[in-house]
């Protein structure tokens, strides 16, 4: 079972194409990535976005970057890979998947060998990251499907769908599986200002899949909850810290606070690749601050005085005590999160051990 949204990342015959998500839903355009720099800019400009997709794109991006180095000696190849990795790690600071995938590619090139041998190792590692992502999404779907009861209203925020990941997405995976099983339910998609991932991407992707989706402005969440339209919140995440704090798209923590007020369970879909046991809590995470013009302008048009002061943090932190549970590739994990989430670290460690 897969969604009907186009896969955001295409890797065919060692050529990388990324779906330019800034043009959705108007145009479906894939761009060939020819260098480290094009991949770096695609991540920075949110042509490819969503934590897992950034990681997969970065992994393939390093493979593309190393194609001209296949005839190098082993050490020269490894040094060039490390400097490409250092550059790519800085493209966006918040989603842990970027550093996770880049580190994994660098580790894959560590065994001795010439450039050609090391190139083959990183190519295989990137393909494994992509395939592992597909498997994790399917497992998240199976772990969360039972949370979607017949007639339920589900609120989601930003886009944690197929466009942000691969195939089923994370927060959307239980929705796709419930829909395939014939369970009737409604999804409310918050539009997600400033860059409108909810309206441009989530509403589009769910509608294409035939799922009953209703678009709301971010300001309408409390009203929908007060009306009784929403039974559960289901969002994705860019990073979950050791204690279970959730870093996700700006606006997520406000939704979680409202959900607590109205007694609505707030769930987070989290693949192993998004759990960051090395960071103790949300306060320790660097929150990306983006261009003020993303707030002053909408789709190329001024909606504010050109020089008005602006804040534009791209993410916020939802404290772990507002989370009912994490829907993960190792099952549904409840509190105490500082203990239960360790299962994700174990899964990731097992993958590393298998691979090296
Ligand atoms: O700025 P974006 O569009 O990359 O933000 C994406 C999100 O916040 C998603 O909810 C998160 O990455 C989870 S994607 C499975």
């Amino acid at each position: 079972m897969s969604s009907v949204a186009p896969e955001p990342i295409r890797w065919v015959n060692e050529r990388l194409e990324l779906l330019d998500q800034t043009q959705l839903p108007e145009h479906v355009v894939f761009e060939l990535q020819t260098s480290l720099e094009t991949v770096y800019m695609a991540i920075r400009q949110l042509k490819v976005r969503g934590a897992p997709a950034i990681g997969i794109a970065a992994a393939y991006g390093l493979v593309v970057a190393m194609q001209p180095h296949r005839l190098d000696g082993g050490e020269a190849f490894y040094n060039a890979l490390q400097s490409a990795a250092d550059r790519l790690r800085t493209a966006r600071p918040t989603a842990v998947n970027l550093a996770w995938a880049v580190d994994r590619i660098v580790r894959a090139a560590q065994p001795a060998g010439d450039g050609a041998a090391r190139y083959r190792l990183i190519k295989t590692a990137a393909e494994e990251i992509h395939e592992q992502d597909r498997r994790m999404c399917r497992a998240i779907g199976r772990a969360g499907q039972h949370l979607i009861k017949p007639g339920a209203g589900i609120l989601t925020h930003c886009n944690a769908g197929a466009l942000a990941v691969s195939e089923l997405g994370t927060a959307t995976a239980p929705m796709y599986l419930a829909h395939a099983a014939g369970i009737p339910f409604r999804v409310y998609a918050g539009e997600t200002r400033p860059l409108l991932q909810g309206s441009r991407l989530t509403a589009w992707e769910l509608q294409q899949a035939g799922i009953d989706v209703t678009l709301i402005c971010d300001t309408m969440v409390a009203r929908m909850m007060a009306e009784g339209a929403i039974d559960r919140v289901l969002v994705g995440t860019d990073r979950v810290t050791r204690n279970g704090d959730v870093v996700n798209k700006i606006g997520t923590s406000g939704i979680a606070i409202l959900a607590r007020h109205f007694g609505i369970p707030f769930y987070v879909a989290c693949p192993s690749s998004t759990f960051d046991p090395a960071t103790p809590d949300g306060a320790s995470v660097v929150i990306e601050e983006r261009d003020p013009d993303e707030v002053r302008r909408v789709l190329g048009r001024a909606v504010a005085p050109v020089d008005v002061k602006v804040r534009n943090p791209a993410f916020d932190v939802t404290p772990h005590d507002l989370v009912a549970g994490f829907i993960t590739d190792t099952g549904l994990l409840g509190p105490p999160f500082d203990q239960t989430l360790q299962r994700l670290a174990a899964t990731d460690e097992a993958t590393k051990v298998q691979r090296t």
Side-chain angles (χ1 to χ4, degrees), residues 262-282:
F262 287 102
I264 296 167
F266 177 93
Y267 287 96
V268 179
C270 171
S272 307
S273 55
T274 308
F275 178 50
D276 177 15
T279 301
D281 53 34

Side-chain angles (χ1 to χ4, degrees), residues 3 23 52 60 103 105 122 141 164 171 173 196 202 236 243 265 277 287 300 318 322:
S3 80
Q23 298 196 48
Y60 284 134
D103 289 349
I105 294 295
I122 65 169
L196 301 171
T202 302
N243 67 342
I287 301 291
T318 299
L322 296 181

Side-chain angles (χ1 to χ4, degrees), residues 49-52 92 158-160 164-165 170 197 237-238 248-249 315:
R49 33 68 49 205
R92 292 188 78 188
C158 193
N159 174 263
V165 198
T170 61
Q197 288 92 330
T237 173
D238 286 82
N248 192 45
K249 179 53 57 191
F315 301 97

Side-chain angles (χ1 to χ4, degrees), residues 21 43 46 48-54 92 95 97 133 137 156-166 169-172 192 195 197 200-201 235-239 247-250 252 269-271 274 288 290 314-315:
Q21 298 191 31
I43 293 173
L46 273 56
V48 59
R49 33 68 49 205
I54 294 172
R92 292 188 78 188
N97 302 62
D133 191 72
C137 290
T156 191
H157 188 59
C158 193
N159 174 263
L163 292 166
V165 198
S166 50
T170 61
T172 52
T192 318
L195 294 180
Q197 288 92 330
R200 291 189 305 101
L201 307 178
V235 296
T237 173
D238 286 82
R239 189 187 295 241
V247 185
N248 192 45
K249 179 53 57 191
I250 192 74
T252 304
C270 171
T274 308
E288 177 182 9
R290 293 187 59 86
F315 301 97

Side-chain angles (χ1 to χ4, degrees), residues 1-3 137-138 141 160-162 166-173 176-177 205:
M1 158 70 203
S2 68
S3 80
C137 290
R138 288 179 213 135
S166 50
E167 254 180 36
L168 301 181
T170 61
T172 52
Y176 284 124
L177 293 192
E205 127 170 24

Side-chain angles (χ1 to χ4, degrees), residues 75-86:
E75 204 180 317
F77 182 95
Y78 191 68
N79 291 341
L81 176 63
Q82 273 188 317
S83 60
D86 289 346

